[in-house]
Amino acid sequence: MGDGWTEFRTSLPALPSGTALVRAVTKTLPGGDRLLVGRDISDLDGFMAQIRAAGIAVVVLIIGLAAAASIGVTRRTVGRIESINATSRAIMLSGLDQRIPLHGSHDEWDRVAENLNLMLDRIQTLMGDVKQVSENIAHDLRTPLTRMRGRLEKAYHAPRNGEGDAALIGDTIADLDAVLGMFASITRISEIETRARKGAFRTVNLVEIAGEVVELYDAAAEEVTTHLDLAGDPAVLVTGDRDLLFDAIANLVDNAIKHGRPGGRVTVTCDNDEGEAVISVADDGPGIPAEQHDRVFKRFYRLEQSRYTPGNGLGLSLVAAVASLHGARIELRDNAPGLLCRLVFPPAEV
């Protein structure tokens, strides 16, 4: 290798210094190996120029594609935003029945439109509930307020009479108490729905609470010759507010007695069912049509046959609020005949 390397070394100074041309030289080394010494620099410059031109072309192409993509995305985005704006303007002008159109692409914009439409559905439902509540309040307040005004007008034009005035005052106070009780119930339901009552949660026995309710309403059941009894397990534990649970069970029992069959039976049952605590109130009255099961828990909602029964339509609303606060679910079933209402609670926290 020494002779070949010496010849390669001695050949370099013979090349012109700084020349633009270097001949491609290969030298056979001992052993048959060939060594590439150089190539034409002019070819290399041309190759580099082609690379630079190709690089510039690629950059221009990328910039062009990026600009086209940006314009497309921008136009698409502006179009979807304008669709949402147009729907918003239509809602402001005509009402909540308008919805944002979906393109069926299932992309982010479609998901945004779906969520906005669901929000509009919820708002429309709430507005409908507010309208219904307003109409029911007006209906339920009209009667006692009309009676009070009639009594007061009659007393105003009639000569003073001690006994008559006392009776009038007593009746007026009773009507006012009913109105105030209605508003107190609304306030209490709102308080429960905002979960402001969890500070009193303890482990309680539903059987004991149900027993107190049955004892309280036993006299009311006897007045309409209804048999009221308690059945089930001896201990059913839940975690909750004892007073609120008492009120919920009392409302269910009160409804069962009022709307059940005169001379019928109302049964309160407490059970442990596969780890869940269940209390049910069953009657053998006319029951509730299946299509109205969800409506009866709305405030002031009353069935047509219950319009002339004492009450204000807030009892089941309170039951629903208490159940929601305790993480329980309400089930209404056909008791064939009558209605079976179940409150199903999660297991007690130990």
Side-chain angles (χ1 to χ4, degrees):
M1 179 176 178
D3 293 338
W5 180 250
T6 303
E7 183 179 350
F8 172 68
R9 290 281 305 272
T10 57
S11 67
L12 289 179
L15 296 176
S17 175
T19 183
L21 182 63
V22 176
R23 298 296 181 183
V25 179
T26 59
K27 185 66 178 175
T28 302
L29 303 179
D33 295 333
R34 300 179 68 84
L35 176 65
L36 178 63
V37 176
R39 64 178 300 175
D40 196 337
I41 291 181
S42 63
D43 292 344
L44 184 60
D45 290 342
F47 180 67
M48 293 301 296
Q50 291 178 358
I51 291 178
R52 284 195 296 269
I56 293 173
V58 170
V59 171
V60 171
L61 178 61
I62 291 174
I63 293 175
L65 291 175
S70 299
I71 293 173
V73 171
T74 301
R75 292 184 62 182
R76 178 171 170 270
T77 301
V78 171
R80 298 303 293 269
I81 292 175
E82 182 55 34
S83 175
I84 295 174
N85 287 335
T87 304
S88 301
R89 288 192 294 267
I91 289 172
M92 288 186 288
L93 291 175
S94 61
L96 290 170
D97 56 338
Q98 302 291 325
R99 293 296 180 269
I100 300 170
L102 303 178
H103 289 195
S105 57
H106 305 292
D107 57 2
E108 291 80 1
W109 285 107
D110 260 10
R111 287 196 291 271
V112 169
E114 288 175 357
N115 290 333
L116 289 174
N117 287 338
L118 290 174
M119 182 179 67
L120 291 171
D121 291 340
R122 179 60 175 161
I123 292 173
Q124 188 173 27
T125 300
L126 293 175
M127 293 299 294
D129 290 344
V130 170
K131 182 177 180 293
Q132 184 66 41
V133 167
S134 300
E135 293 174 354
N136 290 335
I137 289 177
H139 182 276
D140 289 342
L141 289 181
R142 185 185 301 117
T143 300
L145 292 177
T146 301
R147 284 202 303 260
M148 285 187 284
R149 189 188 186 284
R151 292 194 199 102
L152 292 173
E153 186 175 4
K154 181 179 179 180
Y156 177 77
H157 294 289
R160 301 278 67 78
N161 181 295
E163 293 182 1
D165 291 347
L168 182 145
I169 292 172
D171 292 340
T172 303
I173 289 175
D175 284 338
L176 284 173
D177 286 342
V179 172
L180 293 173
M182 183 185 304
F183 286 108
S185 296
I186 295 173
T187 302
R188 192 169 191 206
I189 292 172
S190 299
E191 178 185 334
I192 295 170
E193 288 178 340
T194 55
R195 285 163 169 65
R197 291 285 304 259
K198 279 203 168 184
F201 271 36
R202 302 287 186 275
T203 299
V204 295
N205 188 354
L206 281 179
V207 178
E208 294 179 359
I209 301 174
E212 294 176 7
V213 172
V214 168
E215 184 178 354
L216 176 66
Y217 279 89
D218 189 57
E222 287 182 358
E223 288 182 4
V224 292
T225 64
T226 295
H227 183 72
L228 176 63
D229 58 358
L230 177 65
D233 296 337
V236 179
L237 302 181
V238 299
T239 301
D241 186 316
R242 194 180 195 283
D243 293 338
L244 292 180
L245 293 173
F246 181 93
D247 289 344
I249 298 171
N251 274 284
L252 292 178
V253 172
D254 183 60
N255 279 345
I257 294 173
K258 285 180 180 177
H259 305 297
R261 179 175 61 87
R265 176 182 292 272
V266 174
T267 304
V268 182
T269 307
C270 300
D271 289 312
N272 292 294
D273 185 7
E274 297 181 356
E276 295 179 318
V278 181
I279 181 167
S280 59
V281 179
D283 63 69
D284 53 2
I288 298 176
E291 64 273 11
Q292 299 194 43
H293 281 183
D294 292 334
R295 301 180 187 175
V296 295
F297 294 102
K298 296 181 178 180
R299 298 182 189 183
F300 296 102
Y301 185 85
R302 304 185 72 188
L303 299 176
E304 193 59 37
Q305 65 266 26
S306 303
R307 281 291 176 187
Y308 305 102
T309 304
N312 51 32
L314 291 172
L316 289 179
S317 297
L318 187 141
V319 173
V322 172
S324 177
L325 180 67
H326 289 79
R329 67 179 186 273
I330 305 176
E331 299 174 356
L332 295 183
R333 300 180 180 178
D334 185 6
N335 198 38
L339 179 70
L340 172 65
C341 182
R342 302 175 79 233
L343 291 180
V344 184
F345 295 84
E349 299 176 5
V350 180

